[in-house]
Amino acid sequence: MPEKENERTIFSLLEVTKSIQKTLLERYKSSFWVKAEMNKLNYYKQSGHCYPELVEKQNGKIIAQIKSHFWKDDYLRVNNNFQKVLKEPLKDGIKILFLAKVSFDPEHGLALWIIDIDPSYTMGDLEREKQETINKLKEESIFNRNKLLKLPLLPQRIAIISVETSKGYADFVKVIDTNAWKYKFFHFLFPSLLQGDKAIHAILVQLKRIEKVKNHFDVVAIIRGGGGDVGLSCYNSYQLAKEIALFPIPVITGIGHATNETVTEMVSFSNAITPTKLAEYLLQKFHNFSVPVQEAEKKIIDKSRRLLTEQKVKFQSEVKLFRSVTENILATNRNEIKNSTRSLLQNAHFIFKNQKHLLHTINANIIKGMNFIYSSTKQKLKQFAITIRKDASSQISQSKLIISQLKEKLLSQSMLKFKSSKIELDNIEKNIVNMSPENVLKRGYSITLLNGKAVKNISQVSSGDTLDTTVFEGSIISIVKSTNKTSNQ
Amino acid sequence: MSEKINYTAAFEELQTIVSEIEQGEISVDELSEKVKRASQLIKLCKTKLTATEEDVTKILKELDSSSSDDED
């Protein structure tokens, strides 16, 4: 009961809360459907009850909120239903349409008591969210970004995002590690949660780590499997899908579920339904490389052999052809030579015969000519001899005559000459006698000598000189008294 | 990285040789050289299929150093 003190009535807290409880119970007798966002589920494992945080937002701002409770049995039933219909458990951050009653408890205060939740409302909301993610990625033109990357011919180095103990991981690793073709893969596990809301952050963290060492990897494989089809709406998260679309190396997914493809799978470079199929996809890439290499080997061996054989056959036929052609040419030439030889012999023979005949004729002509020349020369010589003899004797007698005539002439001439010469000589003798000094002297002339030399000029003599004068039958010695030069006219 | 280019280039070169030989563009004179080259390329490709040189410790080291970077 309330206390009274100084005209004031004082209630205990319990009295007040009980009063509120009473009022509310009277006011809110029936249950009603409410739509709200379940910000937090607040599931308590030990009790099995949930205490969801319900809010209503407008433009991202909370405009109403209230606590709620969701008792174990209701939760289990609803959660089962959700997993069946949505392939998602009840979780934080979903919009729900729920049947509730207002509840007030003096100890715990006001809350909504959730009796049931309609999964189809949430499903529509999740579907809308997924569509929004897709639209946003497309608007930002990054939806196809990862698909446009180039996967190396051999995606050999795989960064795996998975759970080490999961069946999907085991399947995947088994297929790539024990393949029958001995293809060698290198894989490295980046462990992460793979379902439920916490998976988004966990996967993002591992993607960051992979990005640091991306040079060591050709491809990222997100592998999940064996966990049922529940809790995959995280793969529709805009944040995760964007990170995968923009990841610098190809991301492939093998998430393993039977429901609709998630956005993450849509934007990934390639998606396989199960981890095993994803492993087979990688093996196929190796086949695509290996088969052409093996075929190349076979083709090159085959074609080389064929080429060599062809060339050999060609060469042999060329040799055959060459031989037959040369044999033909030889035979033709041999024939030609034979024919030429024959005709040469014939011609030579003919020419020889002709020449021989010609020689005979010439020879005969020469002999004939010689005989003729000989006889005619002989004849001429005989005539010459006769003529010479005749000529010579007439010449000799003529000459004899001339000689005797000349003899006579010579005699008479020389006699004549002799007589005339004698007369001349007589005359000369007379003159000579007349001219002799004795005769001269006789005739009165003298010769005056001075010092043994005849004086021919008065100038030779001067007074006192002794002159010797020769006269007929003697000489006079005189001394010059004077000289007197005869004057010239 | 260069090794990656090598096997891709080797694969392409091999395809070229095969198509050349199939088209009959290779003469007997070139044949031995081409076959020799092709066998080298085939060997390289086959080796690549069955071997990898990645080193776990190196990756771990790089991961460690980068995560400590993040903490700074």
Side-chain angles (χ1 to χ4, degrees):
Chain A
M1 288 298 287
E3 293 168 32
K4 295 268 187 181
E5 193 192 295
N6 298 334
E7 297 174 9
R8 287 191 294 193
T9 309
I10 298 170
F11 298 97
S12 77
L13 190 59
L14 185 62
E15 284 165 339
V16 175
T17 50
K18 275 194 168 170
S19 164
I20 295 170
Q21 188 180 31
K22 196 183 162 202
T23 314
L24 285 174
L25 283 175
E26 278 168 10
R27 170 69 184 84
Y28 298 103
K29 277 182 182 152
S30 55
S31 57
F32 43 89
W33 287 98
V34 185
K35 58 175 185 177
E37 192 172 318
M38 184 164 67
N39 208 19
K40 285 263 159 61
L41 176 63
N42 289 333
Y43 170 67
Y44 285 83
K45 255 187 191 165
Q46 274 188 334
S47 63
H49 305 311
C50 304
Y51 300 93
E53 228 180 83
L54 301 171
V55 298
E56 182 175 347
K57 286 180 187 167
Q58 203 173 59
N59 303 324
K61 253 182 148 180
I62 294 172
I63 55 169
Q65 61 179 322
I66 192 163
K67 288 194 287 184
S68 67
H69 47 79
F70 195 19
W71 306 128
K72 185 179 175 182
D73 289 345
D74 290 332
Y75 165 71
L76 286 175
R77 178 175 45 81
V78 168
N79 199 37
N80 257 337
N81 199 20
F82 256 67
Q83 296 200 3
K84 226 193 280 170
V85 178
L86 258 77
K87 311 289 177 194
E88 279 293 319
L90 281 170
K91 57 173 186 175
D92 298 350
I94 56 173
K95 286 182 177 161
I96 53 173
L97 179 63
F98 60 96
L99 187 65
K101 270 185 159 180
V102 173
S103 136
F104 191 88
D105 178 79
E107 200 184 337
H108 295 106
L110 183 67
L112 288 178
W113 168 23
I114 299 172
I115 303 160
D116 197 6
I117 302 175
D118 178 3
S120 59
Y121 177 83
T122 307
M123 182 155 79
D125 187 59
L126 286 178
E127 200 49 53
R128 193 163 43 247
E129 260 180 31
K130 178 180 171 184
Q131 201 53 51
E132 268 170 26
T133 300
I134 294 170
N135 291 343
K136 220 166 158 187
L137 292 172
K138 283 186 175 167
E139 272 167 33
E140 290 166 15
S141 312
I142 55 178
F143 191 81
N144 281 322
R145 202 63 75 80
N146 201 260
K147 290 184 194 298
L148 294 174
L149 294 176
K150 215 174 166 188
L151 191 68
L153 280 181
L154 293 177
Q156 195 166 37
R157 305 168 304 164
I158 310 154
I160 302 176
I161 296 180
S162 191
V163 176
E164 191 162 14
T165 53
S166 73
K167 189 174 175 297
Y169 176 68
D171 288 348
F172 180 81
V173 167
K174 192 181 160 198
V175 173
I176 61 168
D177 278 355
T178 60
N179 69 81
W181 304 273
K182 296 201 170 79
Y183 298 151
K184 179 79 178 174
F185 291 89
F186 168 80
H187 50 84
F188 192 97
L189 179 67
F190 291 83
S192 169
L193 281 176
L194 291 165
Q195 57 203 66
D197 285 350
K198 283 179 183 156
I200 298 172
H201 177 70
I203 293 173
L204 288 174
V205 166
Q206 293 302 355
L207 283 174
K208 274 265 149 57
R209 289 183 75 217
I210 294 169
E211 203 171 346
K212 304 272 185 203
V213 289
K214 63 173 191 260
N215 286 342
H216 295 283
F217 295 103
D218 299 317
V219 68
V220 177
I222 300 177
I223 292 156
R224 196 203 70 111
D229 280 0
V230 171
L232 300 181
S233 72
C234 58
Y235 293 108
N236 291 324
S237 143
Y238 166 73
Q239 206 187 350
L240 180 58
K242 180 183 178 182
E243 203 58 40
I244 284 169
L246 290 176
F247 205 69
I249 61 176
V251 178
I252 57 177
T253 48
I255 290 170
H257 58 95
T259 48
N260 288 343
E261 204 176 36
T262 63
V263 181
T264 292
E265 291 166 300
M266 289 177 193
V267 300
S268 68
F269 184 87
S270 180
N271 174 42
I273 297 167
T274 63
T276 305
K277 290 264 188 258
L278 190 66
E280 284 166 359
Y281 165 82
L282 292 175
L283 287 179
Q284 187 56 49
K285 294 283 172 195
F286 270 59
H287 289 330
N288 293 348
F289 184 87
S290 170
V291 170
V293 169
Q294 277 167 359
E295 276 176 4
E297 195 174 8
K298 224 186 277 171
K299 277 179 189 167
I300 285 169
I301 291 172
D302 257 27
K303 290 280 174 184
S304 311
R305 269 202 197 124
R306 195 172 303 165
L307 184 60
L308 285 174
T309 314
E310 275 171 16
Q311 288 295 323
K312 207 170 159 187
V313 169
K314 216 166 147 190
F315 179 69
Q316 279 169 347
S317 79
E318 289 283 343
V319 167
K320 232 183 251 172
L321 183 67
F322 178 71
R323 187 179 292 159
S324 85
V325 167
T326 44
E327 273 171 2
N328 265 347
I329 292 172
L330 280 175
T332 313
N333 285 346
R334 200 178 290 139
N335 270 344
E336 269 174 25
I337 289 171
K338 249 187 210 166
N339 288 341
S340 297
T341 310
R342 203 179 294 137
S343 82
L344 184 69
L345 270 173
Q346 274 174 355
N347 280 340
H349 198 64
F350 179 72
I351 292 169
F352 184 70
K353 225 163 140 186
N354 275 353
Q355 291 296 320
K356 204 173 162 186
H357 182 69
L358 203 65
L359 275 175
H360 270 305
T361 318
I362 291 170
N363 199 15
N365 282 345
I366 288 171
I367 290 170
K368 235 195 247 168
M370 290 279 277
N371 280 343
F372 175 74
I373 290 168
Y374 177 72
S375 59
S376 72
T377 309
K378 203 173 163 185
Q379 192 65 37
K380 268 184 192 162
L381 279 173
K382 263 184 195 162
Q383 280 173 351
F384 268 138
I386 294 164
T387 318
I388 287 170
R389 198 178 297 154
K390 248 195 245 167
D391 281 3
S393 59
S394 83
Q395 202 81 25
I396 289 169
S397 56
Q398 234 171 40
S399 297
K400 262 183 184 166
L401 196 68
I402 292 168
I403 288 170
S404 63
Q405 282 171 351
L406 281 175
K407 199 176 165 184
E408 270 164 44
K409 219 175 184 176
L410 188 65
L411 220 60
S412 68
Q413 287 287 317
S414 40
M415 284 308 281
L416 216 67
K417 191 83 182 179
F418 184 72
K419 271 174 193 163
S420 74
S421 294
K422 200 174 173 192
I423 298 166
E424 242 174 274
L425 274 172
D426 284 350
N427 287 339
I428 291 167
E429 198 176 15
K430 264 180 221 163
N431 281 344
I432 287 171
V433 171
N434 288 339
M435 287 295 280
S436 78
E438 236 167 47
N439 289 337
V440 172
L441 290 173
K442 263 180 195 167
R443 281 186 328 248
Y445 295 95
S446 63
I447 301 162
T448 311
L449 299 171
L450 178 63
N451 298 332
K453 281 183 179 171
V455 176
K456 291 169 186 172
N457 197 315
I458 193 67
S459 58
Q460 284 179 278
V461 182
S462 42
S463 29
D465 287 346
T466 310
L467 296 177
D468 187 349
T469 310
T470 308
V471 291
F472 190 68
E473 294 184 328
S475 63
I476 314 156
I477 306 281
S478 57
I479 295 165
V480 179
K481 273 185 177 164
S482 66
T483 62
N484 199 17
K485 195 174 171 182
T486 331
S487 60
N488 287 339
Q489 289 116 13
Chain B
M1 203 67 181
S2 72
E3 189 238 0
K4 202 158 106 190
I5 290 163
N6 277 345
Y7 85 80
T8 308
F11 185 76
E12 280 164 12
E13 194 183 339
L14 185 60
Q15 298 298 312
T16 311
I17 292 176
V18 169
S19 86
E20 277 175 357
I21 209 166
E22 276 187 325
Q23 312 275 315
E25 284 167 7
I26 290 179
S27 72
V28 176
D29 297 330
E30 300 165 299
L31 187 64
S32 118
E33 206 169 301
K34 289 279 184 185
V35 169
K36 202 165 139 199
R37 178 68 181 153
S39 74
Q40 283 173 347
L41 297 171
I42 289 168
K43 196 174 160 197
L44 197 150
C45 289
K46 283 188 167 176
T47 306
K48 181 66 189 174
L49 280 164
T50 55
T52 141
E53 289 161 6
E54 277 305 334
D55 184 0
V56 175
T57 47
K58 210 170 151 192
I59 296 172
L60 286 172
K61 215 169 149 191
E62 282 182 36
L63 278 172
D64 278 352
S65 71
S66 51
S67 63
S68 68
D69 284 347
D70 286 345
E71 281 160 20
D72 285 344

